[in-house]
Amino acid sequence: MRRHEGRGVSRRTMLRRAGTGIGLAALGAGAWGCGPAEEPGVAAPSAPEGTPSGTPAAGGDSFTAPPPGTAPEPLWQQRTAKGTLGMDALAVAGDVVLVSNDPLVGRDAATGAERWRREEVAVPGARMLVRGGTLYLASAQYDGDVVGLDPATGRETWRSRLGRRFSQPRPIAADEHRVYVLAGILEKDFRVERNVVAAIDTSTGKVAWQELRDAGTQEYGIAADAVGRYLVYTDYKENVTVRSTDTGRQLWTKKIGRSNSGRLAVHDGLVIVADAGRLRAFALADGAEKWSLASEEFTRFHGIGVLDGVLYAADSGHVVRAVDPSTGKESWRTEALLDVAYPGQFAKVGGTLYAATELDDKGGILAFDARNGKLRWRYNDGSKALDQWYVAAAGTRLMALHGERLTALPAV
């Protein structure tokens, strides 16, 4: 296994080579309409860039809750580089927060202070895949490798041994033993007409297995997870597919009613996907459909996630539901939040569910009581940027990414 920093490459070269990939990745972010004007008195005022504005309670890790209906003040805010794309553009590893961009910067989650900075190691919008204390990224040197960084220091600690057999391998999932990638097969004339899904052994850096995907399948718009014996993913071609993590053998694949490049959820032997106006749960072992749940007429499900054993799902009617992921039984739903775009991503701390809205300058981070779905507050940074929001939990703090601004909020 090679452990080194790798050879340099100019920024101009990287951007020229990455142009097509970034454009295609942008399609996966979606483009959804905004709601009407924001409800007055809900958004918290913005703090100056790079300065703390919240006051932690004694001990530094707990915070005073704001009055009901009022969003908390930011603890700190920092500018990020342009180019943030993709549904996993924000990640937290321990006490370090990362934003998928070039340069790649690791910040202290408590203070916002920059811990490390690396130029030309990440393509903007690349998935931030953190497993087992390692951040896995496609090599920005375009040498067909995958690299692993220590999130605490930014130092390269691992590199695959793929040579130039693949074109632009992109990590899609990882477990304790392997990193799973999608990659193009580089022909002798440098054309790429077919692609593979492959597993890389994290102890040797070598390919454990590779399987050719069906002709016409695409390498972008992928949502994936690796759980035990199963690698599961969806794609732009309206498929949900499960493979063996041991051998790569395709166990089953099913057509779903529309393209699904959003998040999937895995729970207790089931994979749950948003299939237009229905949530559908399939058994990982054999693809048998175990339950489905319909949204209201003319609405579609979008963001989903399982947190603390509960499935949370948002639909285009601006309704959020809490569902038993084993049975599909709904436990609560919110009123329609028509003044903001619907959520696309969830996080949870204690008894509060946090949701990040899709493209909406008047959206933001929504906080719900996880017991009953009551809206507690909404935070907007006041930037008026028409960009998707992202949220991630970092202990007793929330990291919120919007456009070129990263904000830390107390999880209250």
Side-chain angles (χ1 to χ4, degrees):
M1 176 167 52
R2 286 178 282 165
R3 296 178 180 269
H4 54 78
E5 294 297 325
R7 300 175 300 277
V9 64
S10 73
R11 180 179 178 86
R12 179 177 295 177
T13 300
M14 185 194 76
L15 293 176
R16 175 175 55 81
R17 293 173 178 173
T20 302
I22 294 174
L24 289 172
L27 297 175
W32 313 108
C34 302
E38 183 178 18
E39 182 180 358
V42 176
S46 300
E49 304 300 331
T51 61
S53 59
T55 304
D61 263 341
S62 59
F63 305 93
T64 302
T70 303
E73 293 282 342
L75 300 172
W76 55 259
Q77 291 181 320
Q78 293 287 351
R79 287 285 184 184
T80 65
K82 293 184 178 181
T84 303
L85 302 167
M87 62 184 177
D88 290 290
L90 175 66
V92 172
D95 58 355
V96 175
V97 58
L98 304 155
V99 175
S100 181
N101 250 319
D102 179 27
L104 183 62
V105 177
R107 294 190 180 277
D108 187 291
T111 67
E114 186 176 307
R115 286 195 181 178
W116 55 265
R117 172 183 293 254
R118 292 282 307 274
E119 300 279 351
E120 299 184 345
V121 299
V123 176
R127 183 174 185 182
M128 307 293 289
L129 182 59
V130 180
R131 293 293 185 275
T134 300
L135 169 65
Y136 294 103
L137 295 166
S139 171
Q141 297 171 34
Y142 293 87
D143 52 12
D145 274 353
V146 175
V147 299
L149 305 182
D150 178 357
T153 64
R155 185 173 63 91
E156 184 177 307
T157 57
W158 180 88
R159 181 175 283 264
S160 65
R161 296 181 175 181
L162 305 181
R164 297 185 179 273
R165 63 196 297 183
F166 294 148
S167 170
Q168 297 185 342
R170 281 169 294 280
I172 59 172
D175 56 28
E176 294 180 356
H177 308 291
R178 291 170 176 171
V179 181
Y180 304 92
V181 302
L182 288 184
I185 297 295
L186 196 61
E187 306 292 344
K188 291 181 179 180
D189 59 359
F190 301 106
R191 290 180 302 137
V192 176
E193 295 184 349
R194 301 291 297 273
N195 63 86
V196 298
V197 56
I200 305 171
D201 190 298
T202 55
S203 63
T204 66
K206 296 181 179 180
V207 174
W209 53 256
Q210 70 178 63
E211 293 291 329
L212 194 65
R213 299 179 70 209
D214 294 339
T217 54
Q218 298 174 343
E219 301 171 58
Y220 298 91
I222 302 293
D225 201 358
V227 180
R229 297 179 296 155
Y230 306 107
L231 171 65
V232 56
Y233 55 90
T234 63
D235 59 35
Y236 274 151
K237 289 294 185 179
E238 304 179 0
N239 299 309
V240 55
T241 302
V242 172
R243 292 180 180 272
S244 165
T245 52
D246 292 331
T247 66
R249 181 174 65 90
Q250 182 171 295
L251 302 178
W252 57 268
T253 186
K254 287 183 179 293
K255 286 288 183 182
I256 53 179
R258 61 161 294 188
S259 297
N260 186 314
S261 59
R263 297 177 184 277
L264 54 80
V266 176
H267 175 79
D268 196 22
L270 299 177
V271 54
I272 303 159
V273 298
D275 182 4
R278 305 190 75 85
L279 295 176
R280 301 175 69 187
F282 302 99
L284 286 169
D286 57 13
E289 186 165 351
K290 296 299 184 180
W291 60 260
S292 67
L293 175 67
S295 63
E296 298 298 327
E297 190 175 10
F298 307 122
T299 63
R300 292 182 170 186
F301 284 108
H302 290 279
I304 64 173
V306 173
L307 301 169
D308 292 341
V310 178
L311 171 68
Y312 298 102
D315 65 33
S316 59
H318 305 262
V319 171
V320 177
R321 291 171 170 79
V323 178
D324 184 335
S326 298
T327 65
K329 182 179 179 181
E330 184 179 301
S331 57
W332 56 254
R333 69 170 68 182
T334 66
E335 298 294 327
L337 307 169
L338 295 178
D339 56 335
V340 295
Y342 43 78
Q345 184 190 14
F346 299 99
K348 190 167 181 252
V349 178
T352 304
L353 173 71
Y354 301 95
T357 65
E358 296 278 2
L359 306 180
D360 190 353
D361 59 339
K362 297 180 176 62
I365 305 299
L366 312 178
F368 301 93
D369 188 321
R371 298 170 300 177
N372 53 29
K374 181 180 179 180
L375 181 64
R376 296 183 53 212
W377 50 260
R378 179 176 72 211
Y379 171 81
N380 184 285
D381 60 11
S383 67
K384 301 186 183 301
L386 186 60
D387 290 281
Q388 181 169 337
W389 287 76
Y390 302 85
V391 66
T396 57
R397 295 169 174 81
L398 293 176
M399 299 297 119
L401 177 63
H402 181 227
E404 299 173 40
R405 183 176 297 186
L406 177 64
T407 302
L409 297 170
V412 294

